[in-house]
């Protein structure tokens, strides 16, 4: 269900890199296991980034700080490296690893690297998390079962964090700080997603970001953000549009004639084999939503 995991799996699929996937069941709150948090806290980004203790609605480390309790996390056992942020993981896969030992690849071409990275930053600023947990005060189109399940989610998270913290409190100052920051962040999140004005602003910001994608595509002259070259920018945007559709926000482009090219872009991206493998058909990745039903596996 994690959009950040979607980005990483799609990048792995595009590159054809072998890997082992170990599921951390967020619905069972396995991500609150202190062993998992300690793994993430051993990453470079954790050592060089402040802990996330407030809430913006985004999941990007650059925007909100480091969260020790989220997914995904990449462990490169050959290089003894831990990478704990989806953007950094995807860049690592392109810049450091290659199935054939090549320094660069087509997902991050050197001649347009700056432009691709700018799009990754833009997508990372998306208020994905707020749209996921917070209702649209002017008409909530999220799947009905999901609306019910997300109600009170932050309070349940806080209770689970406090329960797991109790068993290890005082043993590790860094871990204690990560617990305290996460509880503060979830408290702020609860207030944020239940505030109609903040959610309206969040939706307006989302509309603006979608409009910026439209401008990129209009100037592209090809199928993807940069002509006919499929890059990391497209991976990030495609999984974002798919998540927005899942939540019932496809109207941001589907109901506007001046954004018809975004619909064509989304359709081309959803049909890509890497998207099918990494997102649409990945077990447990996409609960049912009427808005994306045609893209889900048939029973």
């Amino acid at each position: 269900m994690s959009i950040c995991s979607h980005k990483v799996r799609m990048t792995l699929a595009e590159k054809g890199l072998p890997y082992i996937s170990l599921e951390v069941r967020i619905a069972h709150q396995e991500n609150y296991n202190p062993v998992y948090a300690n793994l993430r806290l051993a990453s470079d980004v954790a050592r060089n980034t402040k802990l996330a203790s407030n809430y913006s609605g985004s999941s990007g480390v650059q925007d909100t700080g480091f969260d020790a309790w989220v997914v995904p996390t990449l462990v490169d056992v050959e290089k003894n490296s831990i990478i704990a942020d989806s953007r950094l993981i995807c860049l690592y896969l392109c810049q450091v690893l290659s199935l054939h030992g090549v320094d660069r690849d087509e997902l991050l071409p050197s001649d347009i690297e700056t432009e691709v990275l700018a799009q990754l930053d833009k997508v990372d600023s998306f208020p994905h998390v707020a749209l996921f947990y917070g209702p649209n005060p002017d008409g909530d189109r999220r799947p009905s079962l999901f609306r019910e399940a997300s109600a009170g989610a932050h309070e349940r998270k806080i209770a689970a964090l406090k329960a797991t913290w109790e068993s290890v409190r005082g043993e590790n100052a860094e871990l204690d700080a990560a617990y305290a920051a996460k509880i503060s962040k979830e408290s702020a999140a609860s207030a944020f997603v239940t505030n109609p004005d903040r959610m309206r602003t969040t939706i307006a910001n989302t509309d603006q970001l979608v409009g910026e994608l439209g401008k990129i595509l209009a100037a592209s002259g090809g199928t993807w953000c940069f002509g006919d070259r499929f890059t990391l920018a497209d991976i990030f945007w495609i999984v974002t549009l798919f998540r927005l559709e899942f939540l019932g926000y496809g109207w941001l482009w589907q109901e506007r004639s001046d954004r018809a090219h975004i619909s064509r872009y989304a359709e081309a991206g959803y049909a890509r084999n890497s998207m099918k493998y990494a997102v649409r058909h990945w077990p447990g990745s996409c609960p049912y939503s009427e808005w994306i039903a045609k893209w889900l596996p048939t029973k």
Side-chain angles (χ1 to χ4, degrees):
M1 193 71 199
S2 162
I3 189 173
C4 295
S5 296
H6 293 172
K7 297 173 190 174
V8 171
R9 287 201 302 267
M10 193 168 175
T11 302
L12 285 163
E14 287 286 342
K15 289 184 63 62
L17 287 165
Y19 65 98
I20 297 173
S21 177
L22 301 177
E23 183 182 8
V24 177
R25 296 179 298 175
I26 295 177
H28 294 266
Q29 299 168 333
E30 291 178 347
N31 52 313
Y32 297 155
N33 188 314
V35 175
Y36 178 68
N38 279 325
L39 174 70
R40 287 177 59 80
L41 288 167
S43 65
D44 285 342
V45 67
R47 289 191 289 265
N48 298 314
T49 311
K50 66 178 178 64
L51 290 168
S53 59
N54 212 328
Y55 188 80
S56 68
S58 164
S59 60
V61 167
Q62 295 182 108
D63 184 47
T64 63
F66 181 75
D67 190 329
W69 311 95
V70 297
V71 295
T73 304
L74 177 72
V75 179
D76 183 345
V77 293
E78 292 184 356
K79 297 181 180 295
N80 196 29
S81 298
I82 300 169
I83 303 94
D85 170 68
S86 60
R87 178 182 180 277
L88 294 177
I89 291 171
C90 292
L91 291 175
Y92 181 84
L93 294 173
C94 290
Q95 295 172 328
V96 179
L97 298 181
S98 173
L99 187 61
H100 304 294
V102 180
D103 290 336
R104 314 291 300 189
D105 69 13
E106 60 186 13
L107 292 181
L108 190 62
S110 57
D111 60 315
I112 55 169
E113 179 176 355
T114 300
E115 292 85 350
V116 172
L117 293 178
Q119 292 306 306
L120 304 194
D121 290 344
K122 188 168 293 185
V123 174
D124 248 17
S125 72
F126 246 86
H128 293 294
V129 191
L131 296 172
F132 190 81
Y133 288 106
N136 181 343
D138 300 312
D140 192 354
R141 299 189 185 187
R142 294 177 302 163
S144 57
L145 289 177
F146 181 76
R147 291 200 300 267
E148 296 167 9
S150 64
H154 298 292
E155 288 71 24
R156 292 192 295 273
K157 290 183 183 183
I158 291 169
L161 285 160
K162 288 180 176 178
T164 55
W165 188 11
E166 194 59 35
S167 64
V168 295
R169 188 191 293 264
E171 296 179 5
N172 181 321
E174 189 177 23
L175 187 62
D176 284 346
Y179 269 114
K182 180 65 169 176
I183 290 171
S184 174
K185 177 184 174 182
E186 294 300 330
S187 297
S190 179
F192 187 108
V193 300
T194 55
N195 184 307
D197 289 338
R198 284 188 168 183
M199 286 306 301
R200 288 189 179 97
T201 299
T202 295
I203 294 165
N205 290 341
T206 301
D207 179 62
Q208 180 179 341
L209 287 166
V210 169
E212 290 175 16
L213 169 62
K215 293 176 183 177
I216 290 288
L217 294 175
S220 160
T223 304
W224 310 113
C225 286
F226 299 100
D228 292 322
R229 304 164 79 179
F230 186 85
T231 69
L232 271 181
D234 299 299
I235 290 177
F236 277 48
W237 273 114
I238 287 163
V239 298
T240 293
L241 295 177
F242 196 72
R243 173 54 59 87
L244 289 175
E245 281 206 56
F246 167 81
L247 295 172
Y249 284 99
W251 57 268
L252 288 171
W253 62 93
Q254 293 166 348
E255 297 179 8
R256 291 186 51 168
S257 59
D258 61 329
R259 292 181 178 177
H261 54 309
I262 298 179
S263 293
R264 292 191 293 270
Y265 172 76
E267 294 266 328
Y270 300 168
R272 204 165 176 92
N273 284 335
S274 58
M275 179 67 175
K276 176 181 178 180
Y277 168 78
V279 181
R280 290 168 41 214
H281 288 203
W282 188 271
S285 178
C286 287
Y288 179 80
S289 167
E290 63 180 289
W291 309 110
I292 57 169
K294 75 173 185 177
W295 295 105
L296 300 179
T298 55
K299 296 183 178 179

